[in-house]
Amino acid sequence: MVKRGAGVGKQTLTRGLESATLPCMNDLAGKHIVLGLTGGIACYKAAELCRALVKAGAQVQVVMTEAAAQFITPVTMQALSGRPVYTSQWDGREANNMAHINLSREADAILIAPASADFMAKLLHGRADELLSLMCLARPLASVPLLLAPAMNREMWSHPATQRNVAQLQTDGAHVLDVGQGEQACGETGDGRMLEASEILEDLLAFFTPKVLSGQQVMITAGPTYEAIDPVRGITNLSSGKMGFALARAAQQAGARVTLVAGPVNLPTPRGVLRMDVRSAIQMHAAVQAHVGQAQVFIAAAAVADWRPLTQADQKIKKDGSGDTPALSFVENPDILWTVAQSERAQKGHLFCVGFAAESHDLLAHATAKRVRKGVPLLVGNIGPSTFGQDDNTLLLVDAQGAWELPRDSKTKLAQTLIAEIAKRQQAPGRVS
Ligand code: CTP
């Protein structure tokens, strides 16, 4: 028995809490980060964080409280940061003996990870009886942001005193990161764990990203679709989803609320992004139709199968020994981008639509024609075989004014540039879609 165009696979919805393992080499190049450690078992994660910051290109200066040094040694942190660690305001290495001033003046940001309940209480009152709190108090408020990654037992975290302190620290200008949820070192389970190093890195990168899409909702399709022939076979393509996922991450870091409709790919969900997993073009179309109504930007980065088998066998199609091949008929899939671009909101300029074109040749001609055919203000062309599965790419941007190339770069960097280009166009006064 066969069903026509039936989708397989359940649609699932997940919020990206983990960090994408997309490359972020040099994302923090030129940034000087003062990494402060206070007393808590989460100090073990600070070692990994220090390494991640250095790998991302940052210069890291570690400052530790006496309590932090009970959990991890300054030797470890020195080896990982490649710089001597500061632990005392009486450190004689500074010519003027003012480590608290010198260290904070050099910083692009001070990141306290872990930030204990006690340390946050201390900051709140402006106390400064050791180097780290002294340095936080002495930092130039207007130019040196302070980020705190809290870490504590769940009861300590939920205590009204801690919650009051967090609220007041935010009012005082500190940027307090979320806490993780789960099993704690004490054996209890709940909120209060420090975020993982990769999550803190993502939050720091987002912190430094200009919020060009602040308050906007962005929907992105990514990856291939899979069109089933029978329960074990299907038609798909070589799209890895990397570009779409990089765009989701860049849009989220630029301040947007992002919904990512992903075909079958093996990629982690970018932090903070809402992901809907689908399999077939029909499912992708349904997911987009259900949620695009709230979006201001729609980016169709998916490599959607143009056709699906007319019928899908319930059971595996077997060879019958005759040497005959099965006769497959196809039916065209809905054009998701075209449908969205024809909607009233897109036509009235309330929804900015961006298409992709994966071509094998004559990129400029095909991309220019495709932009008009799809009815979108911006189309991004690339050569399919040289992008599928790769970490870098070359893009050709085509709009009503003409075309120009974004030279070969990592998909992470290209996505950041593309999001900035989209924001510029989407917010241009008098724009017509
Ligand atoms: N697209 C879509 N739904 C489809 C087919 C394509 O939303 N059924 C979107 C893609 O996500 C991409 C753009 O349309 O943004 C162009 O896709 P592409 O596969 O390059 O072009 P097609 O429209 O399929 O045309 P052709 O295969 O003839 O080049």
Side-chain angles (χ1 to χ4, degrees), residues 14 21 30 52-53 61 120 140 161 169 197 200 207 214 219 223 249 255 266 301 311 328 353 363 367-368 383 394 423:
T14 49
T21 49
L53 293 170
Q61 175 60 61
M120 291 198 298
L169 283 166
I200 296 175
F207 180 81
S214 177
M219 172 167 268
R249 175 176 179 258
N266 186 19
T311 55
L328 287 178
C353 295
L363 183 57
T368 305
I383 296 291
T394 306

Side-chain angles (χ1 to χ4, degrees), residues 382-400:
N382 56 182
I383 296 291
S386 58
T387 176
F388 286 166
Q390 304 293 315
D391 286 330
D392 54 6
N393 196 10
T394 306
L395 298 179
L396 186 74
L397 269 53
V398 181
D399 67 10

Side-chain angles (χ1 to χ4, degrees), residues 311-379:
T311 55
Q312 181 193 324
D314 277 345
Q315 296 183 338
K316 185 181 175 193
I317 302 168
K318 303 292 286 178
K319 283 180 290 200
D320 61 8
S322 69
D324 291 346
T325 53
L328 287 178
S329 302
F330 293 92
V331 59
E332 197 168 319
N333 274 324
D335 190 322
I336 303 168
L337 175 61
W338 185 85
T339 312
V340 173
Q342 295 309 305
S343 69
E344 195 183 334
R345 289 184 65 242
Q347 293 290 320
K348 285 191 168 162
H350 304 312
L351 175 64
F352 188 83
C353 295
V354 182
F356 269 71
E359 307 293 344
S360 61
H361 60 287
D362 293 338
L363 183 57
L364 177 61
H366 285 307
T368 305
K370 199 169 276 183
R371 188 188 78 81
V372 175
R373 181 155 53 82
K374 298 279 180 177
V376 295
L378 180 64
L379 191 116

Side-chain angles (χ1 to χ4, degrees), residues 142-177:
S143 58
V144 182
L146 174 65
L147 290 90
L148 305 170
M152 65 199 73
N153 164 270
R154 67 190 174 106
E155 298 291 358
M156 292 165 75
W157 174 249
S158 63
H159 196 285
T162 304
Q163 291 304 311
R164 215 166 39 233
N165 292 349
V166 167
Q168 187 57 49
L169 283 166
Q170 284 168 327
T171 306
D172 291 349
H175 186 83
V176 183
L177 305 186

